[in-house]
Amino acid sequence: MSELSSRKSQLASFDKLLTIMDELRDQCPWDRKQTIESLRHLTIEETFELSDAILDNNLEEIKKELGDILLHIVFYAKIGAEKSAFDIGTVIDSLSEKLVRRHPHIYADTIAEDEEAVKQNWEKIKLKEKGNISVLGGVPRSLPAIIKAMRIQEKARGVGFDWEEKNQVWEKVEEEMQEFKAEFNAAKPEEINLDRAKGEFGDLLFSLINYARFIDINPEEALERTNLKFIKRFQYLEKAAKEAGKKIEDMSLAEMDVYWEEAKKV
């Protein structure tokens, strides 16, 4: 990797990007056509690509994906300037002001001796800023369910609504497991109330996510790692079966399990 640039060089690079954005918006048919709405789904896609690079711990790809997201930020700001609503300068100024405002333990006389105190201050200040009636009002509706559960729990903790010990949370997990089993394990399938079972399963997932938070595990990341592990092993199974002249759809579960166990050792 080349030597990291100085602050002066970084500002020059940012200025160059802004110039390129101006030129593209003026001269490129595709760039001229884009709107805030049309960029939305592309921004979401770029965010997931960054997430993949982070999970792979691929710093070169992280650099590239950060560049793609920065492009989108500059693009939105350019469109905002055209609408006389905001530009990249006011976006950055607003962010800087917010960071100062939400870190009173650095820029004012508030005391925060640990990470938890910082988080609680942040949530309280954010609630006051946004004027939300509910502490949970700032949780985006479109967040994936696991991430939304995490944010709900974090925000509730920010105002002191949380368990005190992790063993209490685990007891809640076991309680929810028993309630789910009681609802789902009906003697006859037709007696199962799927709506209630679904509700109990949701409660169980919520409590597991809560426990993960208490032991500093990101459940979204943990599940994605398991997804990737399953994909890797299943693809080994497919490849091994093909090399053995077998069609996976014609194999018994016991036959497939032999390759699955081999995959665990690879």
Side-chain angles (χ1 to χ4, degrees), residues 162-176:
D162 202 6
W163 302 93
E164 294 179 354
E165 303 291 339
K166 65 180 180 182
N167 63 293
Q168 297 173 312
V169 189
W170 184 250
E171 288 174 1
K172 184 64 175 176
V173 172
E174 293 181 322
E175 176 188 328
E176 297 294 354

Side-chain angles (χ1 to χ4, degrees), residues 17 34 48 93 100 108 111 158 169 197 230 232 238:
L17 173 61
Q34 300 315 304
F48 279 111
D93 288 342
V100 170
I111 297 175
V169 189
F230 184 93
K232 180 181 178 181
E238 290 177 313

Side-chain angles (χ1 to χ4, degrees), residues 172-222:
K172 184 64 175 176
V173 172
E174 293 181 322
E175 176 188 328
E176 297 294 354
M177 175 64 81
Q178 291 305 314
E179 290 181 6
F180 173 67
K181 288 177 67 177
E183 195 62 59
F184 193 74
N185 288 355
K188 297 180 181 178
E190 58 268 23
E191 294 178 2
I192 295 173
N193 185 314
L194 288 179
D195 283 339
R196 286 211 303 263
K198 187 184 297 184
E200 295 297 345
F201 187 69
D203 292 344
L204 174 58
L205 282 178
F206 193 85
S207 62
L208 279 169
I209 292 167
N210 213 0
Y211 186 73
R213 179 173 58 86
F214 259 77
I215 58 176
D216 294 324
I217 290 176
N218 183 311
E220 174 73 20
E221 180 181 338

Side-chain angles (χ1 to χ4, degrees), residues 230-243 258-264 266:
F230 184 93
I231 290 171
K232 180 181 178 181
R233 291 176 179 176
F234 192 82
Q235 289 177 341
Y236 176 92
L237 162 62
E238 290 177 313
K239 181 180 178 182
K242 185 176 180 180
E243 290 174 349
V258 172
Y259 294 123
W260 184 265
E261 291 300 320
E262 288 180 6
K264 291 181 181 180
V266 175

